[in-house]
Amino acid sequence: AQSVTQLGSHVSVSEGALVLLRCNYSSSVPPYLFWYVQYPNQGLQLLLKYTSAATLVKGINGFEAEFKKSETSFHLTKPSAHMSDAAEYFCAVSEGGGSNYKLTFGKGTLLTVNP
Amino acid sequence: DTGVSQDPRHKITKRGQNVTFRCDPISEHNRLYWYRQTLGQGPEFLTYFQNEAQLEKSRLLSDRFSAERPKGSFSTLEIQRTEQGDSAMYLCASSHTGTSSYEQYFGPGTRLTVT
């Protein structure tokens, strides 16, 4: 069974500061891992994905994440926060075809960016 | 590629009424997923279609819920005898069989409020 834990339901940073959002996963098979962003009253937008290729994954808007198998982690980072990054971020795991590629999400981390 | 669309975007209904939501996936996407997102939580998987066949249903999908995907194109999600606990955002996502099977594209969601 697959599961995701996001540490910290709310992270607050200053504009220009480093963003670090934490995600740990559990999976019985090599996982696919994703980060999605959700703006208020909108659907989910894919930021980046890990699909067993490079362990350091670059996504849109300057975000990146590193897959660490030994730590079962997939933390999201951005070197310099921008006001427009304020949103809710969800980490998700999929066990691939054996589970019909369905996604299991964490509870989300709300990122606020202070001027 | 016009993206995944959902209709309506918002629905307010009284307890005990029936409601139906529609999802139009990205054209040629043969996989379609429904998720439910309650306040402060990540999306949770409800059901999955490949073409017109409903291949998986979560135990979250009680007998009052039914989903269809006639002809393998758009999908509908019906909730009968709505309860206040059904209040949530209902998200639809689609993907294409092939090298990017794991990549799901989400619609804007339908927000249901049961009064």
Side-chain angles (χ1 to χ4, degrees):
Chain A
Q2 54 198 44
S3 67
V4 171
T5 302
Q6 290 185 240
L7 297 174
S9 59
H10 187 194
V11 170
S12 182
V13 300
S14 298
E15 192 173 18
L18 171 71
V19 175
L20 171 60
L21 305 182
R22 300 178 186 273
C23 171
N24 288 88
Y25 70 90
S26 173
S27 175
S28 55
V29 300
Y32 298 113
L33 294 161
F34 308 84
W35 276 98
Y36 283 86
V37 60
Q38 186 176 36
Y39 297 98
N41 297 313
Q42 293 188 25
L44 302 171
Q45 180 183 6
L46 181 65
L47 275 179
L48 49 78
K49 59 185 181 285
Y50 167 76
T51 58
S52 76
T55 57
L56 183 61
V57 180
K58 295 186 184 298
I60 62 172
N61 301 338
F63 284 94
E64 62 181 39
E66 186 172 8
F67 172 69
K68 291 188 176 179
K69 183 178 178 181
S70 61
E71 298 178 7
T72 60
S73 69
F74 190 58
H75 302 331
L76 181 70
T77 60
K78 182 174 181 178
S80 176
H82 191 272
M83 296 295 289
S84 61
D85 294 327
E88 188 145 28
Y89 292 79
F90 293 94
C91 182
V93 63
S94 170
E95 291 188 338
S99 69
N100 292 319
Y101 297 98
K102 66 178 178 284
L103 297 171
T104 298
F105 289 86
K107 292 187 176 182
T109 298
L110 181 65
L111 175 67
T112 57
V113 182
N114 304 307
Chain B
D1 180 352
T2 57
V4 178
S5 61
Q6 293 186 245
D7 184 69
R9 294 290 307 276
H10 303 274
K11 178 71 177 179
I12 300 174
T13 191
K14 292 185 178 180
R15 186 165 53 100
Q17 298 294 305
N18 299 344
V19 294
T20 301
F21 310 141
R22 176 178 172 128
C23 169
D24 287 88
I26 293 171
S27 60
E28 299 180 356
H29 276 195
N30 57 341
R31 297 174 185 263
L32 188 145
Y33 302 80
W34 285 98
Y35 294 85
R36 181 173 70 185
Q37 184 179 21
T38 53
L39 207 59
Q41 301 294 319
E44 295 175 290
F45 169 76
L46 290 179
T47 191
Y48 159 67
F49 289 86
Q50 182 162 329
N51 300 312
E52 67 276 7
Q54 187 175 21
L55 297 185
E56 186 173 352
K57 293 193 289 187
S58 162
R59 60 178 182 274
L60 292 176
L61 215 64
S62 75
D63 292 345
R64 295 184 298 104
F65 288 70
S66 62
E68 296 182 340
R69 193 183 182 198
K71 302 179 183 178
S73 56
F74 71 92
S75 175
T76 58
L77 178 67
E78 181 183 15
I79 308 175
Q80 296 183 327
R81 304 180 303 281
T82 52
E83 302 173 355
Q84 287 190 323
D86 297 331
S87 295
M89 175 80 91
Y90 291 84
L91 294 163
C92 176
S94 70
S95 67
H96 190 273
T97 302
T99 55
S100 296
S101 289
Y102 46 78
E103 194 162 326
Q104 295 182 24
Y105 295 84
F106 282 80
T110 294
R111 181 169 295 284
L112 172 66
T113 302
V114 181
T115 61

